[in-house]
Amino acid sequence: MARAIVYTEFGSPDVLHLIEVPDPIALSGEAVVRIEAAGVNPIDAKLRSAKRPSPPITEPRGVGFDGAGVIESVGDGVAGFAVGDRVAIRDTVGTYASHLSVSVEKLVALPDSVTAAEGAGIGIPAGTAFQALRSLGVAQGDVVLVHGGSGSVGQAAVQFAVAWGATVIATASPARHEQLRELGAVPVAYGDGLLDRVRDAAPDGVTVALDCAGTDEAIEVSLELVADRDRIATIVRGPDAASFGIRAFSGGSPEPLSAQELEWRAEALAATVELLAAGDFTIELGPAIPLAEAARAHELVESGAASGKIVLVP
């Protein structure tokens, strides 16, 4: 039988359990993927703990949205994918598993140069960053301030913005500055005096700000520096973004993403795989943790104790 991580009640990481489940079957338009790596994202822990609202639990609930692996079977009507193909998965509930049936619309082929761990680290971080920057109209000549530039979404946002011709200022702790320089950003330390440091780094002004940190400091500095509030957004402070007059993309926002924004998030997986294969994008990998230890992975995500993308390995 297949194995999967599930929970039957909201709570601490200890509510996560590894169970045996029936082997999935590929229905029409689907493929069964043997999961080689599952991406662990903050949203997984927020849903598990009920910090992010979700429907009542009526049956064991799967965890995870991102993954990568090898196709083991395909259903009727599947074109473009075959048994043995390496693929990345996006936006599919239950990737914390050994096997999963996935709509082929949620799959992208992985070249041999992209590892399963890298493929599993793309979906939510890169999709969020890609869509947010597209929504904010980032283009050549912009000066973009990314708060929390050393996180998974922040690093993706830095790399997309640089690739599109923008100048990027990114906040992070000093220990992460060299890494941000390698990605093409000008790093600045957060904390007291941030406003002046950003002004020194961007003497001609800032045109766009993306908050991936969620701090009051990030919001206040963005409001001070960016004249057009439609070009300020948060991916963390969704519930109170409207009170600042700024935009929110997910992060608990009551406003759903538009059809165009959902399309951008979908486009991001293939776009990022292409950049990775060309050597033009980097995913910082963190610990690879056995599937059975999913609770430990959530503890690391919630504490911020691990740098890089955490993946679970069945």
Side-chain angles (χ1 to χ4, degrees), residues 138-146 161 165-170 186 198 201-210 225-226 231:
V138 171
Q140 185 170 352
D142 272 316
V143 178
V144 181
L145 173 60
V146 178
T167 297
V168 181
I169 315 297
V186 177
V198 175
D204 294 328
V206 174
T207 57
V208 178
L210 177 62
L225 292 173
V226 180
R231 304 199 80 192

Side-chain angles (χ1 to χ4, degrees), residues 189-214:
Y190 51 73
D192 291 345
L194 176 61
L195 179 60
D196 290 336
R197 288 193 294 277
V198 175
R199 281 178 169 152
D200 289 343
D204 294 328
V206 174
T207 57
V208 178
L210 177 62
D211 166 40
C212 303

Side-chain angles (χ1 to χ4, degrees), residues 279-296:
D280 295 329
F281 198 95
T282 298
I283 294 176
E284 181 188 13
L285 296 177
I289 295 174
L291 180 65
E293 299 177 26
R296 180 162 69 91

Side-chain angles (χ1 to χ4, degrees), residues 14 34 64 102 104 233 287 290:
D14 291 340
R34 173 172 53 82
V102 183
V104 294

Side-chain angles (χ1 to χ4, degrees), residues 125-134 136 138-140 142-172 176-188 208-213 235 272 275 280-284:
T128 301
F130 188 93
Q131 171 265 307
L133 295 182
R134 287 297 193 206
L136 293 168
V138 171
Q140 185 170 352
D142 272 316
V143 178
V144 181
L145 173 60
V146 178
H147 296 281
S150 64
S152 295
V153 177
Q155 288 187 39
V158 166
Q159 293 179 86
F160 287 134
V162 168
W164 300 343
T167 297
V168 181
I169 315 297
T171 72
R176 307 282 276 168
H177 284 189
E178 185 56 37
Q179 179 187 42
L180 287 172
R181 288 190 188 95
E182 292 175 357
L183 297 181
V186 177
V188 296
V208 178
L210 177 62
D211 166 40
C212 303
I235 64 165
T272 307
L275 290 170
D280 295 329
F281 198 95
T282 298
I283 294 176
E284 181 188 13

